[in-house]
Amino acid sequence: MTPFVLQCGNPLLPITLTDVPLRNADAVPTDDDCSAIFSDIESAPEPRIIVLGDDASLAALLTRLMRTERLHVEVAFVPENATDAAHIYKLGTGSRAAKVALTGTASSTPLIRDDAGKAVVGRALLGGADGTDLEGEAYVDDTRLFSGVVPGVEVAPTADMPGLRARVVGRRRFLPRRWVSGRAMQLGSPAAELTRDGIAGGKAVKRSTFYRHHQEWLLVR
């Protein structure tokens, strides 16, 4: 195994990783940032990319690995602080996660993406336009998640099959509803705003689908 660090933004570099080849990138790595690390690992035997950053950093790298057909490359995640993805995949933070990144074993893990071809590793949130309630209908596989108007919907990957789960979320004073697990979540709405791993999606959409990609990714744990 040959490790390489992709340092996204300015997180602290754990001492364990100081002797590992390092490539700096934006907090959310650009296509150019990813191309640079791919060039670094091109001739390395059994390369392993260690992402030092947050959920959006990891999601951006996985998106690029997926689009360039490089999901055979092992990926480790070293968040500086606890994140949704760290919780889902039962990873540590800081120096503890760095040790696992160097000594852990990669295993096949469901990759969740949306119909825009972007990976999600922590959670995605769907709400109505301009902060309003979400109107429409959503299904997880054949199970109806909601029909009508709700405050919002949360979608999250799972570490094991079937790959994702989703639930209706309420206002702050209400508890979220139960999770529904499946391979895919489909939403139809007059106007929905999407946030993936803390990054707003931009313009409102009428349809949004999250689903398990046909190929898994190799997560080091």
Side-chain angles (χ1 to χ4, degrees):
M1 185 271 294
T2 309
F4 296 83
V5 172
L6 183 65
Q7 186 176 26
C8 306
N10 298 298
L12 293 175
L13 180 67
I15 294 175
T16 313
L17 301 179
T18 52
D19 293 330
V20 178
L22 182 145
R23 172 74 66 171
N24 293 114
D26 289 347
V28 179
T30 64
D31 287 352
D32 287 343
D33 290 332
C34 293
S35 294
I37 193 75
F38 295 163
S39 177
D40 292 340
I41 70 172
E42 188 172 2
S43 60
E46 300 180 7
R48 174 177 293 181
I49 299 176
I50 301 172
V51 178
L52 186 58
D54 60 16
D55 288 356
S57 310
L58 176 61
L61 176 73
L62 284 180
T63 296
R64 196 62 184 158
L65 287 172
M66 175 177 61
R67 291 178 175 177
T68 58
E69 299 184 349
R70 288 184 170 92
L71 288 174
H72 59 279
V73 176
E74 296 181 1
V75 178
F77 183 38
V78 181
E80 189 172 16
N81 302 300
T83 69
D84 291 320
H87 174 72
I88 290 168
Y89 301 117
K90 295 181 172 58
L91 304 173
T93 61
S95 58
R96 179 184 173 189
K99 182 178 180 180
V100 173
L102 292 177
T103 62
T105 301
S107 59
S108 295
T109 303
L111 174 60
I112 300 307
R113 55 171 290 181
D114 67 1
D115 46 9
K118 294 187 177 183
V120 174
V121 297
R123 66 172 177 165
L125 295 173
L126 291 145
D130 300 321
T132 60
D133 284 346
L134 178 63
E135 179 183 357
E137 189 172 51
Y139 283 82
V140 176
D141 293 349
D142 295 327
T143 301
R144 188 168 66 185
L145 193 64
F146 83 93
S147 180
V149 179
V150 296
V153 167
E154 177 181 1
V155 183
T158 57
D160 302 301
M161 295 298 183
L164 64 73
R165 59 182 186 169
R167 64 181 176 181
V168 171
V169 292
R171 299 296 182 193
R172 186 173 299 177
R173 64 183 179 275
F174 296 114
L175 291 175
R177 299 182 190 176
R178 68 182 180 88
W179 289 103
V180 179
S181 298
R183 178 189 176 276
M185 191 287 304
Q186 300 180 69
L187 169 75
S189 171
E193 291 187 350
L194 169 62
T195 301
R196 307 177 190 86
D197 292 317
I199 305 298
K203 65 180 182 179
V205 297
K206 292 186 176 182
R207 296 188 180 277
S208 183
T209 302
F210 290 83
Y211 60 96
R212 188 178 74 236
H213 190 56
H214 69 274
Q215 185 177 356
E216 299 179 327
W217 62 293
L218 294 177
L219 171 62
V220 176
R221 287 190 276 182

